[in-house]
Amino acid sequence: MKNEKNLAPRPGFVLDVDRTSPPVLFHHGDTFKLEKLPAGRSRVIYPPEPLEGLRDPDSAIRHALENPIGDSEPLSALLRPDMKLTIAFDDISLPLPPMRRPDIRQRIIEAVLDLAAEAGVDDVHLIAALAIHRRMTEDELRHAVGDRVYDAFAPSGRLYNHDAEDPEGMVVLGETPHGEDVQFSRRAAESDLVVYVNINLVSMDGGHKSTATGLSGYTGLRHHHNVHTMRNSTSFMDQENSELHASNWRMGKVIRDAGVKIFQIETTVNNNTFGRSGPLAVLQKREWEWSARDRASFVAMQKGLDVMPSSARRQIFNSWEAPYEMTSVQAGEVEAVHKVTTENVYKQQIVEVEGQTDILTMGLPYISPYNVNSVMNPILVMCLGLGYFFNMYRGKPLVREGGVVIMSHPTPWEFHSVHHPSYIDFFEQVLADTTDPIEIERKYEKQFAEDEWYIHLYRNSYAYHGVHPFYMWYWGSHALEHLGRVIIVGGDSSAVQRLGFQSASTLRDALEMASDVVGPQPTITHMKNPPIFLADVK
Amino acid sequence: MKALEFRRNIPRYAAARLAGSFTPGRGSGVGPIRLVDADIPELPNQDWEIVRPRLSGICGSDLATIDGKSARYFEPLVSFPFIPGHEVVGDLQDGTRVVLEPVLGCLSRNIDPPCKSCQEGQLGNCEYVTFGEISPGIQTGSCCDTGGGWSVAFAAHKSQLHPVGKDLSDEAAVMIEPTACGVHAALSTGIDPEGTVTVIGSGTLGLVTISALRSYFPDVKILATARYPHQRSLALDLGADVVIAPNEIKRAVRRMTKSRAISLSTEDGNVDRLTGGSDAVIDCVGSSESITDALSVTRPRGKIVLVGMPSSVNIELTPLWHREIQLVGAYTYGTEKLADGSVARTFDLAADLVDSAKLDRLLSAVYPLSRYQDALEHAASAGHRGAVKVAFDLRSEKERDLL
């Protein structure tokens, strides 16, 4: 049997569908569908195969720390005994799905702590830079930083979740020339050095966004997590054309000018989301290359999932840990580091695509950045499809203006009451009134952002901040403005209606419904995602 | 004359209860109500007149009676057989168009001196509804001597009759009586001018109550529950600030009142009860569930006004005790004291409100008496058939012109 890992990874690929093309696998929440796309006018975009991971990640990390990029001294030269050191790291939303142990954050934090110990640094705090995401549980923190680090720091209160609503713990560092308040963690602001530990899954991550967003709160976030910014980020995955990126960079300058010294450590991972072998490996293979064994394992998996209750399916998928491998690590000055990181992300994810399509189809998986170990509620379905998937482009959107997006997902009217309490209210009150992002922002955002109960749950429980569902809706606002129609296949029709979309039972029905908008015989493009790709649309 | 008569008949009552439990309004087919050829009521004295109904509405309490669900509490307060119908616009013999104020208080019973409530103008609270010159009956439509609106003619005391201005249509006039209930309920809240009110239910009573609240308390925040889209739309149009589905009430009141939530775990994001809540809740449904919801969302020392006729309910009263909530009924009307200290008859206020808020739009369908089963089933399922108020239309009854 050939060792697939020894073959050179193939780049992304655009398949023109013809009569001989096999059905295409669509993710459909915690199940899957095989769909036959119309021949002669459909194409499928496949992500590049996983790049090789670094052979010795720990050595690569140590090398990066001592050989920084940009205007920065090596980390060891920045450490001294009497200093105040803060290590901030990406939260549970990265990577997706969570990766197998040891997590990259653990590797890096252990390396940083080794250097700090050698330098005699005592005052060290570790902060999960979650902005207004939910707090991480002990298990999740242990997974991210490792048991050794957790046991050494958490019991003494030196490893904790960022609290953007702690009146004593937050400070406004200044204002950008655009009038944006830069709100920041007081501990980080008062530290002699902030070391940021990043996992860059998509090109939007990292850079100044790590700290300007991750260690901020509503006072700062509202300046770029809004409809105007999102509609002027075309796309927010393309730094050259992202107002979100520009705003974070302006804030980064204010942070730097306020005297906050940041040593940025960024990493990239490959596309090995489901494994080169194992129970889910078939999900990252191209359908015409499926072996008899692949087909059998897919059928068995599909049948097994079909007879399970959704809670059991969710439990199975939530327990999946991706065998991601680190493909690069770079450290030093924020902007210089991020430039290299972005190139490495592109190396793994870019697929060149010729021209736009009338209809863009996407099978939405069980996971998004905001439902790790949780429920993919309808608002997150919208955000994943119209926020993330739609924006996975450079140049032009994959779908033409006035075109149609067809998403496949069960979209249950279901919420995780611990993680998403304000989402329930957003769905019941706000979307029952309007789905217009501008109107939503104007009429409801402040009420939810300042709601004391949501703030209590964010600070003391494991709830996303009250304003978070608004940001999810804004994330899709560029798509909502761009598209002529959105259709969800196989969704709960009440929930889909509340989202303001149309519901279809089958892909064939959805294509029929879409033809009302885009005309007969439309062109169709399917995003075979995940694993993730970024379409470079010419 | 043609009339729908309700007789005391225990087997039929049981059959109606059974049928009504399967399909609301179905009790009309098997229960004690029948279309009969009845005698025109005799006038008890010279202060009474014959009224020929033009439109006669079907009320929730009528439907409860027909489906065998009304409380046994009323048994000694009514006299059989009776002809239902108390939401009436009709004509007097001289052609004057009138609306009926149906309460049979001391004046109509020729009781002198009147009871304390009647002396104070609170006719709905009359203490002597089983005494005097006519048989027991709390209202026209429950007394065997007077007849009722679901017929070609009935008897009414002059004090019960309110002339209708020529500009007010029959469709508007028939809404005055239910609107008076809403006016009374709204004013019973005694709410602060900028307080919060929750209205449970957006059927006829809920909608007229919302309209009354908005009219007398322009700055209060009104949240209403509505089960159907047309109810939601009407509730918003009549002045509700927020309209939500019934199962969303706790979260919605929490948001409106900026309360925190209480559940078994203070950290789980579910909402079982609230720390604060609405200043007043007007329950226009009257079920165990609605009263329980009301108790969950009323603030400590707040007030629940029960407008929907509750019959027998099973509720946990601990929150009433613990939060010192007032639970008060709002049965009908009489006179109201307004914010400026003035006093007005509820019916007069209701007539003005029906006109200004165009509440005639709440009348959704009319039926002849001969189709009473269809009418009652329609009224009992008004919500999911997209209707609000259903009434009998007697304007085309041939007998009417012979009287």
Side-chain angles (χ1 to χ4, degrees):
Chain A
M1 186 178 164
K2 68 181 177 183
N3 183 350
E4 292 178 3
K5 195 169 178 181
N6 291 335
L7 297 176
R10 293 177 295 181
F13 175 69
V14 181
L15 170 78
D16 288 320
V17 175
D18 60 27
R19 292 184 189 284
T20 65
S21 302
V24 183
L25 183 142
F26 276 52
H27 289 265
H28 185 74
D30 46 26
T31 58
F32 307 95
K33 290 185 171 187
L34 286 174
E35 300 283 8
K36 193 87 178 161
L37 293 168
R41 54 189 173 92
S42 303
R43 58 184 181 175
V44 181
I45 308 174
Y46 287 90
E49 291 183 336
L51 299 174
E52 285 295 318
L54 298 172
R55 283 178 191 278
D56 185 351
D58 291 323
S59 295
I61 289 166
R62 284 194 298 274
H63 181 268
L65 299 185
E66 291 310 299
N67 296 276
I69 298 171
D71 182 17
S72 174
E73 294 177 86
L75 180 59
S76 57
L78 296 170
L79 301 171
R80 61 176 194 278
D82 59 345
M83 75 182 305
K84 192 182 267 192
L85 171 65
T86 295
I87 304 171
F89 55 91
D90 283 343
D91 76 340
I92 190 72
S93 61
L94 287 166
L96 294 175
M99 68 183 297
R100 289 180 189 169
R101 286 177 186 246
D103 190 282
I104 287 173
R105 285 163 287 210
Q106 176 185 340
R107 290 179 186 274
I108 294 173
I109 289 169
E110 286 179 350
V112 172
L113 288 174
D114 284 348
L115 290 176
E118 284 171 21
V121 182
D122 290 329
D123 187 355
V124 182
H125 281 209
L126 289 91
I127 304 176
L130 48 82
I132 59 169
H133 295 171
R134 71 170 173 87
R135 298 189 315 136
M136 293 170 73
T137 64
E138 178 181 333
D139 281 352
E140 290 163 351
L141 285 167
R142 283 182 179 278
H143 185 96
V145 303
D147 291 330
R148 193 158 66 94
V149 172
Y150 186 88
D151 290 333
F153 287 86
S156 56
R158 292 180 297 150
L159 165 59
Y160 48 86
N161 291 294
H162 172 65
D163 181 354
E165 289 289 349
D166 177 4
E168 304 300 317
M170 297 297 288
V171 61
V172 174
L173 295 178
E175 203 177 83
T176 71
H178 287 61
E180 300 151 311
D181 302 301
V182 180
Q183 191 190 24
F184 208 61
S185 153
R186 182 182 293 277
R187 164 70 201 191
E190 293 177 353
S191 291
D192 297 298
L193 181 66
V194 176
V195 172
Y196 196 91
V197 181
N198 148 279
I199 301 176
N200 228 90
L201 191 67
V202 292
S203 52
M204 174 188 66
D205 302 332
H208 288 301
K209 183 170 176 289
S210 295
T211 46
T213 292
L215 293 173
S216 189
Y218 178 62
T219 299
L221 298 174
R222 63 199 167 100
H223 293 292
H224 46 66
H225 279 54
N226 55 50
V227 181
H228 173 81
T229 301
M230 300 320 295
R231 285 188 170 165
N232 285 281
S233 297
T234 55
S235 74
F236 58 67
M237 295 294 179
D238 179 2
Q239 294 169 16
E240 306 301 315
N241 293 290
S242 169
E243 179 54 29
L244 177 66
H245 176 88
S247 177
N248 272 289
W249 254 241
R250 291 192 293 269
M251 290 186 171
K253 185 171 184 308
V254 173
I255 293 168
R256 189 174 59 213
D257 292 348
V260 180
K261 171 86 177 157
I262 296 173
F263 187 84
Q264 183 87 359
I265 308 167
E266 297 196 346
T267 63
T268 53
V269 292
N270 65 7
N271 250 348
N272 196 20
T273 311
F274 300 114
R276 294 183 175 88
S277 60
L280 300 184
V282 69
L283 301 179
Q284 61 190 44
K285 292 184 178 175
R286 298 166 185 180
E287 290 81 358
W288 65 91
E289 294 176 349
W290 284 11
S291 64
R293 187 174 177 178
D294 290 330
R295 279 192 287 275
S297 86
F298 178 78
V299 169
M301 177 168 65
Q302 182 79 323
K303 285 199 180 304
L305 291 171
D306 284 348
V307 297
M308 282 181 199
S310 64
S311 56
R313 291 199 298 266
R314 187 179 303 140
Q315 199 170 1
I316 287 173
F317 281 104
N318 280 345
S319 66
W320 175 253
E321 291 175 355
Y324 286 129
E325 296 151 300
M326 196 164 78
T327 55
S328 75
V329 53
Q330 38 279 326
E333 187 273 321
V334 177
E335 293 181 17
V337 165
H338 193 62
K339 192 163 183 290
V340 179
T341 303
T342 305
E343 287 165 9
N344 285 319
V345 170
Y346 287 166
K347 261 185 218 166
Q348 173 62 89
Q349 295 181 357
I350 285 284
V351 181
E352 290 197 359
V353 179
E354 280 299 324
Q356 294 178 300
T357 186
D358 296 321
I359 298 172
L360 181 65
T361 63
M362 45 181 80
L364 301 183
Y366 66 96
I367 198 166
S368 79
Y370 316 108
N371 74 309
V372 178
N373 301 323
S374 190
V375 174
M376 176 89 108
N377 64 55
I379 298 159
L380 294 178
V381 170
M382 180 278 194
C383 177
L384 182 62
L386 300 190
Y388 283 91
F389 278 39
F390 175 87
N391 279 287
M392 293 302 293
Y393 74 86
R394 282 198 317 188
K396 294 181 282 191
L398 273 165
V399 57
R400 70 168 169 81
E401 190 166 1
V404 174
V405 160
I406 297 174
M407 309 190 279
S408 183
H409 193 277
T411 321
W413 189 310
E414 188 182 2
F415 294 83
H416 194 295
S417 62
V418 174
H419 295 161
H420 301 123
S422 69
Y423 279 65
I424 303 173
D425 292 323
F426 182 89
F427 199 66
E428 288 183 354
Q429 182 187 11
V430 178
L431 293 185
D433 179 26
T434 176
T435 56
D436 176 4
I438 294 279
E439 183 73 357
I440 286 172
E441 187 177 50
R442 183 190 65 77
K443 198 167 165 186
Y444 292 108
E445 181 185 302
K446 192 166 184 288
Q447 174 200 336
F448 276 63
E450 296 177 355
D451 188 304
E452 279 189 19
W453 184 54
Y454 300 145
I455 291 172
H456 166 81
L457 293 174
Y458 160 78
R459 298 191 67 192
N460 299 290
S461 179
Y462 296 95
Y464 282 84
H465 193 277
V467 79
H468 200 259
F470 289 76
Y471 293 171
M472 298 301 92
W473 203 257
Y474 304 160
W475 238 233
S477 59
H478 166 34
L480 285 175
E481 189 179 46
H482 181 84
L483 296 169
R485 183 170 290 180
V486 179
I487 302 169
I488 296 184
V489 177
D492 175 306
S493 56
S494 307
V496 173
Q497 189 179 6
R498 178 63 60 90
L499 292 172
F501 305 150
Q502 291 193 343
S503 184
S505 304
T506 64
L507 179 63
R508 175 180 284 204
D509 289 349
L511 292 171
E512 185 75 28
M513 290 156 68
S515 66
D516 294 346
V517 177
V518 294
Q521 299 294 304
T523 56
I524 300 161
T525 298
H526 178 64
M527 300 177 75
K528 182 76 188 298
N529 179 2
I532 295 170
F533 68 81
L534 181 66
D536 193 7
V537 183
K538 305 295 183 193
Chain B
M1 65 163 190
K2 199 185 284 181
L4 285 172
E5 186 180 77
F6 193 97
R7 286 188 169 272
R8 187 195 291 273
N9 183 321
I10 301 301
R12 279 187 174 274
Y13 192 81
R17 190 176 179 85
L18 185 64
S21 65
F22 287 112
T23 309
R26 192 56 66 83
S28 60
V30 297
I33 196 159
R34 284 285 180 270
L35 184 61
V36 298
D37 186 8
D39 294 331
I40 295 172
E42 288 182 17
L43 299 180
N45 58 47
Q46 70 281 4
D47 290 332
W48 289 71
E49 293 203 42
I50 291 295
V51 180
R52 293 174 300 156
R54 297 175 68 81
L55 293 175
S56 189
I58 300 169
C59 162
S61 61
D62 297 326
L63 294 167
T65 302
I66 285 157
D67 278 342
K69 291 177 184 164
S70 62
R72 298 195 66 180
Y73 167 85
F74 288 117
E75 283 185 16
L77 303 180
V78 302
S79 52
F80 294 93
F82 61 78
I83 296 168
H86 59 273
E87 300 174 356
V88 186
V89 54
D91 297 317
L92 301 181
Q93 294 295 61
D94 65 4
T96 306
R97 208 157 53 105
V98 292
V99 169
L100 175 74
E101 182 170 352
V103 173
L104 294 168
C106 288
L107 198 55
S108 53
R109 293 177 174 279
N110 203 16
I111 296 173
D112 192 20
C115 71
K116 188 166 181 292
S117 298
C118 286
Q119 283 180 43
E120 292 172 354
Q122 301 303 347
L123 294 185
N125 304 127
C126 176
E127 298 160 26
Y128 297 155
V129 292
T130 58
F131 300 96
E133 290 186 355
I134 55 173
S135 299
I138 54 175
Q139 294 187 345
T140 302
S142 64
C143 171
C144 66
D145 294 334
T146 62
W150 297 0
S151 69
V152 176
F154 68 91
H157 190 267
K158 286 177 180 170
S159 64
Q160 294 182 280
L161 301 173
H162 298 258
V164 179
K166 63 179 187 317
D167 294 337
L168 207 62
S169 67
D170 291 341
E171 287 74 12
V174 78
M175 291 305 304
I176 291 175
E177 195 279 340
T179 300
C181 294
V183 169
H184 182 59
L187 293 171
S188 296
T189 59
I191 191 171
D192 288 340
E194 295 183 354
T196 53
V197 189
T198 298
V199 179
I200 299 180
S202 286
T204 305
L205 268 181
L207 292 171
V208 297
T209 300
I210 291 166
S211 183
L213 282 167
R214 183 50 72 221
S215 174
Y216 298 111
F217 305 99
D219 298 322
V220 297
K221 188 93 173 166
I222 303 172
L223 182 146
T225 71
R227 198 173 291 278
Y228 304 101
H230 71 288
Q231 292 178 339
R232 173 187 166 79
S233 166
L234 282 164
L236 287 169
D237 204 39
L238 290 170
D241 296 291
V242 179
V243 182
I244 44 99
N247 63 352
E248 297 171 356
I249 185 170
K250 292 174 192 171
R251 301 192 81 91
V253 174
R254 191 207 67 75
R255 291 191 300 265
M256 177 177 75
T257 59
K258 298 183 167 57
S259 302
R260 292 192 180 188
I262 300 171
S263 61
L264 282 176
S265 162
T266 55
E267 299 180 352
D268 74 359
N270 282 316
V271 182
D272 291 334
R273 292 188 285 279
L274 308 181
T275 52
S278 196
D279 295 326
V281 176
I282 303 179
D283 183 352
C284 301
V285 176
S287 66
S288 301
E289 293 76 18
S290 66
I291 299 171
T292 301
D293 279 346
L295 285 166
S296 302
V297 301
T298 306
R299 69 163 168 80
R301 296 194 171 224
K303 185 188 270 191
I304 298 171
V305 178
L306 206 54
V307 191
M309 191 176 79
S311 190
S312 298
V313 293
N314 183 13
I315 52 173
E316 162 74 67
L317 282 177
T318 311
L320 181 102
W321 166 78
H322 177 233
R323 292 161 73 88
E324 300 189 356
I325 292 168
Q326 294 180 62
L327 176 61
V328 301
Y331 156 55
T332 53
Y333 25 73
T335 55
E336 310 291 346
K337 191 170 181 183
L338 302 176
D340 61 5
S342 63
V343 172
R345 287 192 71 167
T346 323
F347 251 62
D348 294 336
L349 298 172
D352 291 343
L353 184 59
V354 166
D355 192 23
S356 62
K358 299 183 170 44
L359 297 181
D360 56 327
R361 61 182 140 158
L362 301 185
L363 181 64
S364 309
V366 294
Y367 287 82
L369 272 185
S370 58
R371 289 184 60 200
Y372 73 96
Q373 290 184 21
D374 292 338
L376 294 171
E377 284 186 29
H378 191 171
S381 57
H384 82 252
R385 292 201 205 175
V388 181
K389 172 61 72 181
V390 177
F392 289 109
D393 186 349
L394 299 120
R395 290 172 292 197
S396 303
E397 295 288 345
K398 288 177 185 167
E399 281 181 317
R400 196 171 184 278
D401 298 326
L402 303 175
L403 294 173

